Amino acid sequence: MIKITVKNLGALKKAEFSLGDITIICGENNTGKSYATYALFGFLSNWRKVVNLTLPKAGLDELLGDGIIQIDLQDYLDNLQNILLDAGKEYTKTLPDVFATNPDHFKGTEFSIEVKPNQKTFDQYHKSEIGSEKTQFFQIRKEASSSQVTVTLLAEKDQIGLPRDIIDKVIVDTLRDILFQNLFPNVFIASVERTGTSIFRKELNFARNRLLEELIQSTKDVNPLALFSKDYDNYALPIRKNVEFTRNLESVVKQQSFIAQEHPQVLQEFAQIIGGEYQVTDNDELYYMPDQQQIRLSMDESSSAVRSLLDIGFYLKHIAKLNDLLMVDEPELNLHPENQRRLARLFARLANIGVKVFITTHSDYIIKELNTLLMLNQDKSYLKRIAQEEGYQSEELLSVDKVKAYLAEKRPLELSDDSQKTHYQTLIPAKITSDFGIEITSFDTAINEMNRIQESIVWEED
């Protein structure tokens, strides 16, 4: 379980939300949905930089003296709350870079994260060796289902030649990965700006090549990192990640996800949504190939729906790993209502095979389709009949405990907090039941208002 608490983050004065197998944030425009999404993505992308551990006192001296030390990861778990509290404070300092905006926007911002360890925390076996090409200096080993990590010296102390702080950092980095790899999921995001990166992929690669030429031809002292980042520093981290992913598709397609290996039906469902498949040629050309048509379309020739789902398609086929978190900002972007329904069913499939999904949405179609999946997942004969008649499969049905939903809304503010305002923006947990699904009042209000007006038009007379 992961719970996030934020204060003074964009439109959100204070709010908290937890991750489920499917997490949904709904609300009107400019209510803080994207701020919550980007902040969470930024932390999960950068937790290795902000979560700090320290070796046990005298641990390094013991290793260099005796040649071996035992470290109990349970000691870190016992202090997990303080470790994550410090990590949240450290991460808050990086928010201007995550959002690519003025640091003044985050004065008074607080971000904190809580993680509840589960039985899998110590399940994984680990063995790694650290050294040079010719000599291995250390071995770090942890047996499966054990909290004990053994660090063994493999070379004579005088052969190592590494500063103590480097040795300390390498061991601590490994301990951090072992401890948190089952607590923090790998994260992939499809930002709301994703459509543009597919169209301008050639231009992005051209810009990269131009920068290389500029670096080679320059006679001045040039900082390569500054040169390569100057075109993208003005964009939020999720957008930069989308640009980087789309630009590197030639390398991406050389990999194969666990979904492609173990759940090919998920890819078949996705292919039905886009009505074809994507292709990257040996020359790094990107095409869309419609079903039953002997043509290849470039991205600017393809529909906006094909472009908006491109990142998700390549992620599912080539990148996805078990226990990942897939974040999609406004998945309904450019999709017909029927494809919005299909995408909701695809998300349910992902949640059921072990990929968590996090979405922000304005789509009543997506919510209603998820509601159908929740309502059909009951042991009642007539519901089983309806599911069969309507083509729903058991792999798509959802249990209530897998879903968390939040409404970005205003709530009354206690006068003691701020006498100038009467309400504050927050996230309210939505009611979810197997009988009615997810209750999203803001959608219902708008729909009821439209129905009322149309009924007046149809039935009222002068």
Side-chain angles (χ1 to χ4, degrees):
M1 187 278 291
I2 296 179
K3 184 173 78 171
I4 299 91
T5 303
V6 297
K7 293 183 179 180
N8 300 315
L9 177 66
L12 296 172
K13 174 135 179 107
K14 54 182 179 180
E16 67 178 37
F17 58 98
S18 298
L19 295 187
D21 293 301
I22 293 183
T23 309
I24 306 157
I25 299 183
C26 299
E28 297 180 9
N29 299 111
N30 303 314
T31 54
K33 301 186 303 298
S34 292
Y35 267 91
T37 303
Y38 283 17
L40 173 60
F41 174 77
F43 182 88
L44 293 178
S45 298
N46 296 313
W47 64 263
R48 288 178 174 85
K49 298 178 182 178
V50 298
V51 175
N52 296 312
L53 305 180
T54 57
L55 284 180
K57 191 174 182 180
L60 200 54
D61 290 333
E62 183 180 344
L63 174 63
L64 296 177
D66 300 339
I68 189 170
I69 55 171
Q70 295 277 349
I71 301 171
D72 192 346
L73 294 178
Q74 186 62 49
D75 293 337
Y76 293 108
L77 283 185
D78 292 341
N79 192 40
L80 186 61
Q81 182 176 353
N82 291 328
I83 292 173
L84 293 180
L85 183 63
D86 291 339
K89 293 178 180 178
E90 193 65 26
Y91 172 63
T92 301
K93 300 176 185 177
T94 72
L95 287 175
D97 177 65
V98 171
F99 287 88
T101 190
N102 194 317
D104 290 342
H105 295 168
F106 299 98
K107 288 183 176 179
T109 298
E110 296 179 18
F111 178 99
S112 62
I113 189 165
E114 298 178 35
V115 179
K116 184 178 180 180
N118 55 43
Q119 60 182 7
K120 297 181 180 180
T121 302
F122 295 133
D123 279 359
Q124 194 160 341
Y125 168 82
H126 176 90
K127 180 182 177 181
S128 61
E129 293 184 350
I130 301 161
S132 63
E133 294 182 2
K134 297 181 178 180
T135 306
Q136 298 301 312
F137 301 146
F138 305 99
Q139 181 190 87
I140 302 177
R141 185 185 183 102
K142 188 190 84 67
E143 300 298 333
S145 303
S146 171
S147 65
Q148 296 292 323
V149 175
T150 302
V151 185
T152 307
L153 191 63
L154 300 179
E156 296 296 329
K157 182 169 62 174
D158 57 1
Q159 293 180 337
I160 297 177
L162 292 176
R164 290 174 62 93
D165 58 339
I166 297 298
I167 299 173
D168 183 282
K169 183 179 187 307
V170 169
I171 296 174
V172 164
D173 287 350
T174 304
L175 292 176
R176 182 176 55 224
D177 283 350
I178 294 173
L179 182 60
F180 287 99
Q181 63 187 347
N182 286 322
L183 299 182
F184 293 138
N186 292 317
V187 61
F188 181 90
I189 192 168
S191 72
V192 76
E193 292 82 3
R194 58 190 177 272
T195 302
T197 60
S198 62
I199 295 179
F200 299 109
R201 182 170 181 267
K202 289 183 179 180
E203 285 74 10
L204 292 171
N205 284 328
F206 175 80
R208 178 181 59 182
N209 294 335
R210 176 178 56 79
L211 291 175
L212 276 171
E213 292 175 1
E214 185 177 337
L215 176 62
I216 293 171
Q217 296 174 4
S218 176
T219 58
K220 301 178 181 179
D221 291 333
V222 178
N223 182 343
L225 292 178
L227 187 61
F228 277 100
S229 64
K230 69 180 183 180
D231 280 358
Y232 307 115
D233 277 349
N234 292 330
Y235 299 100
L237 179 64
I239 301 173
R240 300 201 301 267
K241 289 292 186 180
N242 283 166
V243 168
E244 179 183 350
F245 181 78
T246 305
R247 204 177 60 188
N248 294 323
L249 288 181
E250 184 181 20
S251 298
V252 169
V253 297
K254 297 177 182 178
Q255 306 173 56
Q256 190 177 44
S257 71
F258 92 100
I259 294 176
Q261 295 173 348
E262 301 176 20
H263 305 281
Q265 70 276 13
V266 173
L267 300 183
Q268 294 169 9
E269 292 288 336
F270 181 83
Q272 291 179 12
I273 295 174
I274 64 171
E277 62 180 16
Y278 302 109
Q279 181 188 61
V280 176
T281 69
D282 293 338
N283 295 324
D284 197 25
E285 296 286 339
L286 174 63
Y287 293 103
Y288 166 68
M289 303 173 63
D291 285 338
Q292 301 177 347
Q293 298 185 42
Q294 301 301 315
I295 60 173
R296 296 191 306 184
L297 302 176
S298 63
M299 285 302 102
D300 55 347
E301 295 173 318
S302 302
S303 70
S304 57
V306 167
R307 297 196 299 268
S308 71
L309 293 174
L310 181 136
D311 284 0
I312 299 173
F314 278 95
Y315 165 79
L316 294 176
K317 188 173 183 178
H318 300 287
I319 302 297
K321 296 181 177 62
L322 194 64
N323 300 318
D324 273 5
L325 175 64
L326 169 63
M327 306 183 77
V328 186
D329 205 359
E330 299 185 18
E332 67 271 17
L333 190 65
N334 300 315
L335 297 187
H336 184 276
E338 183 58 33
N339 273 339
Q340 293 182 42
R341 294 179 60 203
R342 289 176 175 174
L343 195 59
R345 292 165 73 168
L346 180 72
F347 289 156
R349 280 183 177 271
L350 292 176
N352 287 330
I353 66 173
V355 175
K356 292 180 173 58
V357 178
F358 182 109
I359 65 172
T360 66
T361 184
H362 300 287
S363 171
D364 186 47
Y365 297 103
I366 287 178
I367 297 300
K368 285 190 173 181
E369 192 66 17
L370 291 174
N371 287 348
T372 298
L373 303 179
L374 288 163
M375 295 160 66
L376 286 175
N377 192 29
Q378 301 181 63
D379 190 19
K380 298 178 180 179
S381 58
Y382 81 95
L383 292 177
K384 293 180 179 180
R385 174 180 55 79
I386 292 174
Q388 184 176 14
E389 290 175 351
E390 300 297 336
Y392 288 94
Q393 301 179 31
S394 59
E395 294 84 359
E396 299 170 332
L397 304 186
L398 286 171
S399 57
V400 170
D401 61 351
K402 284 182 175 289
V403 182
K404 292 187 180 296
Y406 298 88
L407 310 178
E409 293 185 352
K410 290 183 178 181
R411 281 292 183 263
L413 183 70
E414 296 180 8
L415 292 180
S416 58
D417 287 343
D418 189 339
S419 60
Q420 301 297 316
K421 298 179 181 179
T422 59
H423 292 78
Y424 69 98
Q425 194 69 40
T426 188
L427 298 176
I428 306 299
K431 184 178 180 181
I432 306 174
T433 65
S434 58
D435 290 329
F436 300 102
I438 309 164
E439 184 178 315
I440 304 295
T441 55
S442 61
F443 290 167
D444 294 339
T445 299
I447 292 171
N448 292 337
E449 180 71 7
M450 288 190 297
N451 289 340
R452 182 189 63 78
I453 294 171
Q454 290 181 8
E455 287 175 1
S456 298
I457 294 171
V458 172
W459 297 109
E460 289 191 13
E461 297 179 0
D462 292 335

